[in-house]
Amino acid sequence: MTTSRGTKVALSIFAAITFAFVYIPLMIVIINSFNSGRTLGWPPEGFSTQWWAKAIDNEGVRNALVTSVILALVATAIALILGTLASLALSRFRFFGQDAVSLLIILPIALPGIVTGIALNNVFTSYLGGLTFTTLIVGHTTFCIVVVYNNALARLRRMGVNLEDASSDLGAGPFTTFRLVTFPLMRSALIAGGVLAFGLSFDEIIVTTFTAGPGITTLPIWIYQNLFRPNQAPIVNVVAAALVLISIIPVYIAQKLSSADERGGGLI
Amino acid sequence: MTTAAPAAPTGGFGYRHPRAKLVGLLGAPMAWLIVVYLGSLAALFLTAFWTVDGFTGALVRTFTLDNFIDVFTTPAYLQVMLRTIGIAISVTVLCLILAVPVAYFMARVAPHRWQPLLIAMILTPLWASYLVKVYAWRAMLNPESGVIAWFLQPLGLGGPGFGALGIIITLTYLWLPYMVLPVYAGFSRLPNSMLDASADLGATSWRTFRSVIVPMIFPSIVAGSVFTFSLSLGDYITAQIVGGKTQMLGNVVQQNYVTNLPFAAAFATIPVIIVLIYLAAVRRSGALENL
Amino acid sequence: MQRSRLLTLAVATSAAALVLAACGGGSDDAGGDAGAAPGGEAYAGPVGDGEGKLSVLAWPGYAEDGSTDPAADWVTPFEEATGCQVDVKVFGTSDEAVKLMQGGGYDVVSASGDASLRLVYGENVQPINLDLVPNYADIFPDLKDKSHNTVNGVSYGVPHGRGANLLVWDKNTAGENVDSWSIMFEEDSPVAGGVGPYDSPIYIADAAVYLMATQPDLGITDPYALDQEQFDAAIELLKKQKGLVSEYWSDYNKQIEAITAGTMTGATSWQVLVNYYPENVGSTKAKEGATGWSDTWMIAKDTANINCAYEWLNWIASPEINAQAAEWFGEAPANSKACDLTADPEHCANYHAGDPAYWEDVYYWNTPSEACLDGRTDVKCVPYAEWSKAWSELRS
């Protein structure tokens, strides 16, 4: 089907405007990180790089960043394992209750974060003694599973079973088949899913506030706490600006990898 | 009944015992989700039937339906529920209006080699902290000193300011990527053969769009809507920051969960029920396959 | 069959969850008897070597460690003097503080009156052995043994300081001299549409304070001891106020930004925030009286770091540190000797630290309960859980 030239131009303009809509607030964040004034208001009071200097020096940011990265890595790792297992089960088998199972997997991300948060918080504080880094990991892993699962499932369905059949016909056991046939083919979907799960965990605030133990400060919690403190608020802008600028690269690479295998990437 | 998808004459333990293989695969994730997730939801649901002691604020474990009665009969709460649903629907519709053309552009109009870059550009904002983005919108929406007000002033118009409209705009902004990506995936999966056939049969571009493309990407649209709808339904932080004095469901739950957990739990069952109904309705359209 | 296996698993786990929920631990009704002193026995002492660490839960500005401003740091010297490494977590409202304490893991908390009694009766904090806090002797007499931190003669903490909830207004809109809460409650207010109440159920007491002056027939003597009729009147007033409100605030930055931008033109605020406001914003203690707060440092019931905790209490109550903290935050210090040590010699005078008359019509945040705080026994007062529900209904 050929899209008419007029439609193409209209669509291009619309897309450009939408992308602008998406990036203008981010530009404002970046501009504000150079704001010499302390509040987050507009227009900026003056130009200054003091907040960038303060941010680099700030120990709180560094610790929060490390905590967030570790948390996201662990949660993503566990989610990768559980999500892959679930996706293999649901793409290769048909069984009664599979709709319920796929619904269950989606639920942690479909239900509002505050519900997941208070449910987990209630169980952890009332029956399991309290909140710790482990409880935080549990909270994050639960909603990361579906992200990996969806990407893996989409890829497994598109792959079909022929290659796996051939592998088994040639005498390979299930683990060998997985290792040498299935996994290499779905690897890029797992990478895309993993990157997305990492991003989700990295930026998550609601479930985190309800499941993090005392003294545990992830980056979003640090930001939340520092939005409280008038002297620190501009540092928050710096952190956000830095995050945006730094993250473009891994996201781009992940996308290139997954689309190399197929046309169009699944979201989650 | 269990059916193992491939039927093979030879093979190891996995082939001879497909059920064992299935349990082996599903066991761990199911154990996690059922015990950790469903278990805690069940425990929360249970507390909705209790109350708190008036003097000490401690939980009193006697069965009562008072909390639910309160939730469903107080006009203010019904109002906040309707308002939240309204906001969630508006956000979904707005996201749709923005996402479909952009996704189409990305999938079929833009040069093929631009695609990873465009997708990355859509995904990148997800990495800027949620809180910071909302505060940036607060700065923009401010009726006195915000960017929007500053823009519109020479025209004599006021901006949306803080309130439900501000919340809708901000949430649309936040969740847009979640709608663009599944729709984009849907558009890129469209088989060209179908489109060619439609053109061969004499349909105009618009007719092809309406009768061939839309039904085929409908599952993707619905998949995207699951996210925009449920994420908007439970959000409370955005309402606190750009909502002025407007509140959403999540705010009520958050305000009460410290002093009156049973009431907060009862209130929290509302969005759960709404989302479950929505998911059940959506299942039929096959959207869940396309997330 | 696969079906029965999955179903059995689901049923079994739900049943397990139900059983757990029904008999499991959790906060059982503790301290329901008003006669007992909850929280067990106070630490007998003496205060020995520190355990090496301390987890502090504080209002922002109370436990500064130099990260906000290198000049404001009384945590690092504490760490050096006692060897107790301090970890500070801040909260935005008393409700948050209570929830965090219930979750466990914190050793000391700076609790306002609307949190302290909940912590006491919820058995989250322990009684304090005042003999182990030598600096307590110098605390202003009218700050000792307050009902929000002393139960049946047993003390649960050491006061940090006190402040009144101030009335702030935009002089350009409401004029130079404003002295009444009426600009926040009356329909004909010059700041209608820009009112900014504090976003917490405890604000109902502010409405009650206004009613004490405007509707004396209601007979309110303590804004935290409201029987049903008085409570309903306060809620009515707040519902009318809602029409005048631009935003409810609890986040410091939100209020500073709103007032500086001019979207909030008449509000209740704290001195620590007033310090950031531009020239055109005036502040005062309203003539009808005001709610206020006097925060108490309390020790968690099951803390492992009891020696460090007592060291902290004594440290923060010492004249030098109390002076620093009170000056930084903008409140009246609790220690009478601190007044000689503030950098600004007028500090105590400005904050009325040693002026009991000023505090007569300041009603410190307290925790409403069914047993009326003003001592009435012929009626039941509305407890905090109801305040919370009513507030959330009002806000919806």
Side-chain angles (χ1 to χ4, degrees):
Chain A
M1 163 180 140
T2 50
T3 329
S4 74
R5 193 140 186 281
T7 318
K8 275 196 181 165
V9 168
L11 281 175
S12 307
I13 295 178
F14 190 90
I17 295 178
T18 308
F19 274 99
F21 169 69
V22 168
Y23 277 87
I24 285 178
L26 297 181
M27 291 300 125
I28 292 188
V29 167
I30 296 179
I31 291 175
N32 255 336
S33 68
F34 292 105
N35 185 352
S36 58
R38 256 196 248 118
T39 62
L40 297 175
W42 183 270
E45 291 166 34
F47 182 87
S48 157
T49 53
Q50 59 170 320
W51 306 116
W52 283 85
K54 285 199 176 156
I56 296 175
D57 265 337
N58 193 313
E59 204 187 315
V61 178
R62 288 202 299 269
N63 292 341
L65 191 59
V66 169
T67 311
S68 275
V69 168
I70 295 178
L71 168 66
L73 282 176
V74 176
T76 305
I78 304 178
L80 276 172
I81 297 173
L82 296 177
T84 310
L85 289 173
S87 62
L88 283 169
L90 276 129
S91 62
R92 299 287 179 256
F93 293 88
R94 281 167 43 188
F95 52 94
F96 183 86
Q98 77 181 57
D99 279 344
V101 170
S102 67
L103 179 69
L104 178 58
I105 297 178
I106 290 171
L107 224 45
I109 221 172
L111 291 185
I114 189 168
V115 175
T116 309
I118 63 176
L120 290 175
N121 176 289
N122 181 38
V123 165
F124 291 144
T125 53
S126 305
Y127 310 118
L128 294 177
L131 302 174
T132 60
F133 194 65
T134 312
T135 57
L136 183 56
I137 293 178
V138 170
H140 277 231
T141 307
T142 311
F143 62 73
C144 284
I145 293 177
V146 63
V147 173
V148 175
Y149 162 83
N150 267 308
N151 265 36
L153 187 66
R155 174 64 58 80
L156 284 171
R157 283 201 175 123
R158 266 192 279 283
M159 264 166 62
V161 296
N162 296 329
L163 287 171
E164 289 169 14
D165 276 356
S167 167
S168 312
D169 284 347
L170 290 168
F175 291 111
T176 318
T177 306
F178 180 76
R179 192 165 56 89
L180 295 175
V181 178
T182 320
F183 180 71
L185 285 173
M186 65 186 283
R187 189 172 41 207
S188 63
L190 289 182
I191 292 178
V195 167
L196 211 56
F198 187 91
L200 219 59
S201 160
F202 197 72
D203 188 35
E204 214 285 328
I205 180 71
I206 297 181
V207 172
T208 313
T209 46
F210 290 100
T211 53
I216 296 180
T217 313
T218 61
L219 198 56
I221 291 186
W222 183 88
I223 292 178
Y224 196 52
Q225 287 177 342
N226 280 281
L227 285 175
F228 266 141
R229 299 166 158 207
N231 287 344
Q232 301 281 75
I235 298 187
V236 170
N237 274 328
V238 169
V239 170
L243 282 175
V244 171
L245 296 172
I246 294 174
S247 68
I248 296 182
I249 300 171
V251 170
Y252 176 67
I253 293 179
Q255 277 310 309
K256 264 224 110 108
L257 277 178
S258 72
S259 66
D261 289 358
E262 43 139 348
R263 232 199 121 152
L267 161 66
I268 14 180
Chain B
M1 252 196 65
T2 316
T3 324
T10 61
F13 181 75
Y15 266 158
R16 280 176 278 127
H17 302 270
R19 260 177 278 146
K21 190 174 179 189
L22 178 62
V23 169
L25 284 175
L26 268 189
M30 281 301 104
W32 182 288
L33 285 173
I34 292 180
V35 172
V36 171
Y37 193 63
L38 280 189
S40 54
L41 284 179
L44 186 70
F45 186 61
L46 200 64
T47 45
F49 293 104
W50 297 338
T51 51
V52 285
D53 182 289
F55 189 60
T56 62
L59 274 179
V60 172
R61 294 181 163 90
T62 45
F63 183 88
T64 169
L65 288 174
D66 282 346
N67 293 316
F68 286 102
I69 295 175
D70 247 330
V71 169
F72 285 107
T73 58
T74 314
Y77 294 139
L78 293 172
Q79 198 183 20
V80 81
M81 276 186 246
L82 287 175
R83 185 190 308 138
T84 310
I85 295 177
I87 290 179
I89 293 178
S90 312
V91 170
T92 305
V93 168
L94 268 182
C95 274
L96 205 69
I97 295 176
L98 287 177
V100 170
V102 173
Y104 188 83
F105 168 81
M106 282 166 61
R108 307 201 85 93
V109 175
H112 186 39
R113 64 182 186 286
W114 283 14
Q115 275 169 3
L117 177 65
L118 289 175
I119 300 175
M121 281 180 69
I122 284 284
L123 281 180
T124 303
L126 292 180
W127 287 77
S129 160
Y130 164 92
L131 285 171
V132 177
K133 285 185 285 193
V134 181
Y135 257 93
W137 271 99
R138 183 185 164 86
M140 288 174 65
L141 288 168
N142 193 312
E144 300 279 327
S145 65
V147 175
I148 297 181
W150 181 71
F151 238 25
L152 294 176
Q153 212 185 28
L155 303 175
L157 297 172
F162 301 138
L165 188 53
I167 296 179
I168 292 174
I169 296 175
T170 308
L171 288 177
T172 304
Y173 175 82
L174 288 172
W175 312 139
L176 189 60
Y178 290 104
M179 179 68 93
V180 169
L181 288 168
V183 177
Y184 164 81
F187 273 128
S188 38
R189 278 198 287 269
L190 281 181
N192 278 323
S193 52
M194 283 257 185
L195 306 178
D196 287 343
S198 167
D200 286 345
L201 288 169
T204 59
S205 295
W206 178 244
R207 181 75 203 278
T208 309
F209 185 78
R210 210 162 36 95
S211 311
V212 178
I213 297 184
V214 169
M216 288 184 75
I217 61 162
F218 187 70
S220 312
I221 291 181
V222 176
S225 76
V226 168
F227 287 96
T228 56
F229 186 78
S230 71
L231 286 170
S232 305
L233 201 64
D235 196 90
Y236 63 96
I237 295 186
T238 305
Q240 276 174 354
I241 299 177
V242 298
K245 48 187 180 184
T246 310
Q247 289 216 129
M248 291 174 66
L249 264 184
N251 296 96
V252 178
V253 174
Q254 189 242 0
Q255 280 160 356
N256 281 291
Y257 97 101
V258 174
T259 47
N260 198 339
L261 180 63
F263 178 77
F267 210 87
T269 54
I270 310 290
V272 171
I273 294 173
I274 297 177
V275 170
L276 286 177
I277 294 177
Y278 195 91
L279 285 177
V282 146
R283 206 160 59 118
R284 304 186 129 267
S285 75
L288 293 182
E289 322 281 307
N290 280 292
L291 285 172
Chain C
M1 279 205 73
Q2 200 49 47
R3 156 195 196 167
S4 57
R5 184 175 310 227
L6 278 173
L7 273 179
T8 321
L9 193 55
V11 168
T13 353
S14 316
L18 285 170
V19 167
L20 260 182
C23 8
S27 46
D28 232 314
D29 45 353
D33 170 15
E41 291 292 311
Y43 184 53
V47 176
D49 290 331
E51 294 80 358
K53 53 193 182 74
L54 186 71
S55 185
V56 173
L57 189 58
W59 285 103
Y62 273 28
E64 289 297 306
D65 57 1
S67 57
T68 316
D69 184 331
D73 185 359
W74 46 91
V75 164
T76 316
F78 173 77
E79 290 175 327
E80 286 161 7
T82 62
C84 303
Q85 292 310 304
V86 173
D87 184 5
V88 180
K89 182 171 171 92
V90 300
F91 54 85
T93 64
S94 291
D95 281 352
E96 251 189 87
V98 171
K99 194 63 177 177
L100 289 167
M101 284 301 282
Q102 286 171 350
Y106 300 97
D107 300 311
V108 293
V109 57
S110 67
S112 295
D114 55 337
S116 53
L117 287 181
R118 286 190 271 164
L119 294 173
V120 170
Y121 289 115
E123 305 242 335
N124 300 114
V125 293
Q126 54 175 283
I128 302 291
N129 181 348
L130 292 170
D131 295 332
L132 301 179
V133 187
N135 285 313
Y136 187 79
D138 301 321
I139 300 284
F140 283 110
D142 61 334
L143 263 184
K144 292 186 178 174
D145 302 324
K146 307 301 294 181
S147 63
H148 58 255
N149 57 22
T150 313
V151 174
N152 294 324
V154 177
S155 178
Y156 283 85
V158 173
H160 178 80
R162 53 183 158 179
N165 290 333
L166 300 172
L167 171 63
V168 299
W169 72 95
D170 176 17
K171 292 185 192 163
N172 298 334
T173 324
E176 278 292 319
N177 297 313
V178 171
D179 63 352
S180 164
W181 292 114
S182 61
I183 64 163
M184 285 184 71
F185 289 108
E186 299 300 331
E187 272 176 35
D188 54 356
S189 158
V191 296
V195 168
Y198 184 56
D199 192 1
S200 163
I202 207 68
Y203 186 75
I204 298 176
D206 285 63
V209 167
Y210 189 64
L211 287 177
M212 278 165 77
T214 54
Q215 287 183 38
D217 305 330
L218 283 171
I220 303 176
T221 50
D222 179 340
Y224 306 97
L226 301 174
D227 61 40
Q228 197 61 51
E229 192 200 338
Q230 297 164 334
F231 186 75
D232 291 339
I235 296 291
E236 265 314 298
L237 180 63
L238 289 171
K239 283 187 179 159
K240 279 194 349 212
Q241 183 195 46
K242 195 170 174 190
L244 309 168
V245 170
S246 67
E247 277 185 297
Y248 293 83
W249 68 274
S250 65
D251 163 348
Y252 285 20
N253 238 4
K254 200 170 161 191
Q255 192 182 55
I256 294 176
E257 195 252 312
I259 292 204
T260 317
T263 54
M264 201 184 276
T265 44
T268 173
S269 188
W270 302 328
Q271 189 61 45
V272 67
L273 295 168
V274 172
N275 294 339
Y276 290 102
Y277 297 157
E279 290 292 304
N280 60 301
V281 176
S283 69
T284 183
K285 179 174 77 122
K287 67 179 188 216
E288 294 93 354
T291 50
W293 31 270
S294 172
D295 300 332
T296 311
W297 284 101
M298 309 179 104
I299 299 183
K301 177 162 183 249
D302 297 314
T303 173
N305 304 316
I306 188 72
N307 290 305
C308 279
Y310 268 98
E311 295 270 22
W312 175 261
L313 257 55
N314 199 38
W315 174 263
I316 201 83
S318 67
E320 304 80 15
I321 305 303
N322 200 220
Q324 275 185 49
E327 219 168 347
W328 170 257
F329 190 83
E331 60 178 343
N335 190 319
S336 53
K337 293 192 175 154
C339 288
D340 297 325
L341 299 171
T342 51
D344 171 10
E346 297 300 310
H347 181 88
C348 279
N350 290 339
Y351 287 91
H352 309 274
D355 178 10
Y358 179 84
W359 303 99
E360 302 243 312
D361 61 350
V362 174
Y363 306 93
Y364 302 121
W365 280 348
N366 212 330
T367 316
S369 78
E370 266 181 7
C372 294
L373 290 170
D374 58 1
R376 282 183 291 170
T377 46
D378 54 331
V379 291
K380 274 196 168 187
C381 283
V382 181
Y384 190 74
E386 291 300 311
W387 281 50
S388 201
K389 266 179 69 175
W391 181 258
S392 121
E393 203 187 308
L394 169 77
R395 288 281 276 120
S396 297

